[in-house]
Amino acid sequence: MTTCRRWAPPLLTAMLAGCATVGQAPAFSSFVVLGEHGAAVARVLIDAPACPDLVIDQRPQAMAVRAPAATPALRSTPSAPADSKPAAFPLLTCEAPLPAAGSYAQASVLGRVLPLPQAAPQRIVVIGDTGCRLQKNSNSYQACNDSAAYPFAAIAAAAAAWRPDLVIHVGDYHYRENACPDGNAGCAGSPWGYGWDAWNADFFAPGAALLQAAPWVMARGNHENCLRGGQGYWRLLDPRPLLAGRDCNRAADDAVGNYSDPYAVPIGQDTQLLVLDTANTTWKGLKPGELGYDKYRDLYRKLDALARQAPRNLGIDHHPLLGMGADRKADGALVLLPGDAGLQQAFGSLNAQLLPANIQAMLSGHVHLWEQVSFASEHPSQFISGFSGTAEDTVPLPERLPDGVTPAPGARVEQFSSWVDGFGFMTMERLGADQWLVQVHDQQGRVRNSCRLDGRRSRCELAQVK
């Protein structure tokens, strides 16, 4: 976009078109994100001299600058330190609070209507792990230029066409960490690194239709910890105020930037979404005295206090405590992998059941597949929706887990369903106070499996989608 002079804010809306190519409106991203207590925030990302107005029922109000255009100091890329470059954000992040749901008819920015929050959303889309994987240290280069190999744009459009009241992203938005190798046509020309160009290519551009369809709840994944996309996550996505020291700009502040408190989003019928930041846990486990162990014990205590505020809760985190993954040994033998050890050890030190009793289900990602697990023991159902764009896991899961195999100590699996090596999104449609119809859709929006969540128990029509 052509650089233009700094206009006085009252003239901004009228003059922005002149700052872009003649005759075209400026490109910008807009969305609504829900935060603590369900507070809705209108957010705009724009290359402009000042923030535009937010117009609520024809009344303009100023938006505040959340983050100015900047290029923070270099943070070394963990997957290839020699290839690191600073993360450049040559645009404003603007924001303004929205009134309570139901108290206004319309909100817009620069003529674009924003989705309205619902006090009691009935139709929810759940997606996760949406970016295109470009990673040098694992020699993983997804064909970002091929819509079949990287279908997030199609998935976002199909999910938007389902007309949700709310979208939940369970984390890992950003995957373009390293440059595409010379001669690789599948990803040739892709932006990379942790700046705006890669964030836009990975999330905002392909996800545009779904960002306009409904408000979002945005959980944080390990790809958004401070060593990776944390600067962009705090600047662009998190619903809470952006604070110095919690922005991942300095390694000295990572003990703050890598962790944050859980928060609750009410969704009607005495139900809350409880959003957890698990970005810095590790499948290798955590020991007493380690920073992460203490931080996640503190997270559990705050989660427990939040859960007591409502009789029913749905937990949202990136790393599944109660899900299964699969890998292969060098000899080809199948290895089944349990839930995240770091969280299990920290949470388990305070509660052998791992989670508060009134959490009905956990919604997670991280494992690049779709999965449902229900338990005969007193554990909530686990759903994994990590199949929305990133290169899929392809090692097959069994239709039935072998005797004695469990995702967590003391958890007795009663029902298990999965879809491996298929892209899509999950939906939840409310049937009653603690009943939900959960459906699995492919990238065209076709239903591939249907499940019912009743209380903590869930059951699906198919054990495997094939």
Side-chain angles (χ1 to χ4, degrees):
M1 182 179 293
T2 304
T3 301
C4 57
R5 58 178 293 191
R6 183 171 296 278
W7 299 97
L11 297 177
L12 176 64
T13 300
M15 299 305 298
L16 269 172
C19 299
T21 302
V22 174
Q24 292 182 344
F28 66 97
S29 293
S30 60
F31 56 96
V32 174
V33 61
L34 304 184
E36 294 174 340
H37 313 298
V41 178
R43 187 110 1 120
V44 172
L45 315 175
I46 189 166
D47 182 358
C51 289
D53 283 341
L54 171 67
V55 180
I56 298 176
D57 289 342
Q58 300 184 340
R59 296 188 299 272
Q61 67 178 62
M63 300 190 81
V65 175
R66 174 180 175 85
T71 301
L74 173 67
R75 296 296 307 269
S76 179
T77 302
S79 60
D83 296 342
S84 300
K85 62 180 181 180
F89 296 95
L91 75 172
L92 296 177
T93 301
C94 305
E95 64 184 358
L98 288 168
S103 65
Y104 62 102
Q106 187 185 82
S108 64
V109 175
L110 298 173
R112 182 186 295 170
V113 175
L114 295 171
L116 292 177
Q118 304 286 326
Q122 304 297 301
R123 294 165 62 84
I124 300 174
V125 160
V126 185
I127 59 172
D129 298 85
T130 50
C132 186
R133 189 179 189 91
L134 300 179
Q135 189 179 59
K136 188 174 183 178
N137 67 354
S138 63
N139 195 33
S140 299
Y141 296 101
Q142 193 172 350
C144 307
N145 300 330
D146 182 345
S147 60
Y150 176 55
F152 177 44
I155 290 168
W162 188 75
R163 303 188 66 172
D165 301 323
L166 179 68
V167 177
I168 296 172
H169 196 301
V170 294
D172 279 6
Y173 312 77
H174 179 286
Y175 276 82
R176 300 183 196 226
E177 299 183 272
N178 303 117
C180 181
D182 291 342
N184 186 328
C187 55
S190 173
W192 61 277
Y194 299 112
W196 166 248
D197 55 352
W199 270 96
N200 189 39
D202 245 3
F203 180 65
F204 291 99
L210 193 51
L211 286 165
Q212 289 300 300
W216 286 53
V217 169
M218 296 183 173
R220 185 183 183 191
N222 57 294
H223 277 254
E224 291 83 51
N225 72 15
C226 284
L227 282 176
R228 303 174 95 173
Q231 290 172 327
Y233 170 79
W234 283 115
R235 170 181 289 263
L236 305 171
L237 298 184
D238 193 88
R240 294 162 290 195
L242 180 61
L243 303 176
R246 198 167 71 172
D247 51 19
C248 291
N249 285 344
R250 298 190 330 132
D253 297 328
D254 283 0
V256 176
N258 271 330
Y259 306 93
S260 61
D261 289 346
Y263 57 91
V265 178
I267 58 169
Q269 297 195 30
D270 294 323
T271 305
Q272 301 179 126
L273 304 176
L274 302 179
V275 186
L276 312 183
D277 179 353
T278 64
N280 215 45
T281 186
T282 171
W283 62 270
K284 296 178 181 179
L286 295 165
K287 298 177 181 178
E290 292 181 348
L291 175 64
Y293 185 85
D294 293 337
K295 288 284 189 179
Y296 290 123
R297 278 170 55 90
D298 182 62
L299 176 69
Y300 178 86
R301 294 186 185 98
K302 292 170 178 173
L303 169 68
D304 187 52
L306 287 174
R308 295 174 189 273
Q309 295 177 171
R312 286 175 290 277
N313 297 276
L314 298 173
I316 301 169
D317 73 340
H318 182 64
H319 298 81
L321 281 89
L322 297 168
M324 300 295 303
D327 204 351
R328 290 201 183 277
K329 295 181 179 179
D331 63 2
L334 180 68
V335 180
L336 295 177
L337 306 173
D340 185 82
L343 296 177
Q344 288 180 358
Q345 289 161 356
F347 288 12
S349 69
L350 298 169
N351 179 358
Q353 296 298 314
L354 298 179
L355 292 159
N358 55 348
I359 290 183
Q360 181 181 0
M362 293 297 297
L363 312 178
S364 308
H366 192 58
V367 189
H368 299 168
L369 47 73
W370 177 84
E371 186 178 298
Q372 168 268 347
V373 194
S374 185
F375 299 91
S377 52
E378 295 301 315
H379 292 82
S381 284
Q382 172 77 69
F383 291 91
I384 298 175
S385 187
F387 67 137
S388 303
T390 300
E392 294 283 68
D393 291 350
T394 58
V395 177
L397 287 165
E399 288 196 22
R400 182 180 180 279
L401 294 179
D403 291 343
V405 173
T406 178
R412 302 192 309 278
V413 175
E414 183 176 61
Q415 218 267 348
F416 181 70
S417 180
S418 65
W419 186 17
V420 177
D421 199 18
F423 289 108
F425 61 98
M426 188 175 89
T427 60
M428 300 180 69
E429 192 165 4
R430 193 153 213 166
L431 302 176
D434 58 359
Q435 291 87 38
W436 295 84
L437 173 66
V438 179
Q439 293 188 306
V440 185
H441 304 249
D442 63 20
Q443 59 187 286
Q444 288 80 34
R446 296 172 297 204
V447 175
R448 303 296 298 274
N449 201 359
S450 291
C451 313
R452 172 123 178 186
L453 174 63
D454 287 290
R456 288 183 152 203
R457 302 288 180 88
S458 56
R459 182 167 296 277
C460 300
E461 292 179 359
L462 302 176
Q464 285 188 330
V465 179
K466 297 180 180 178

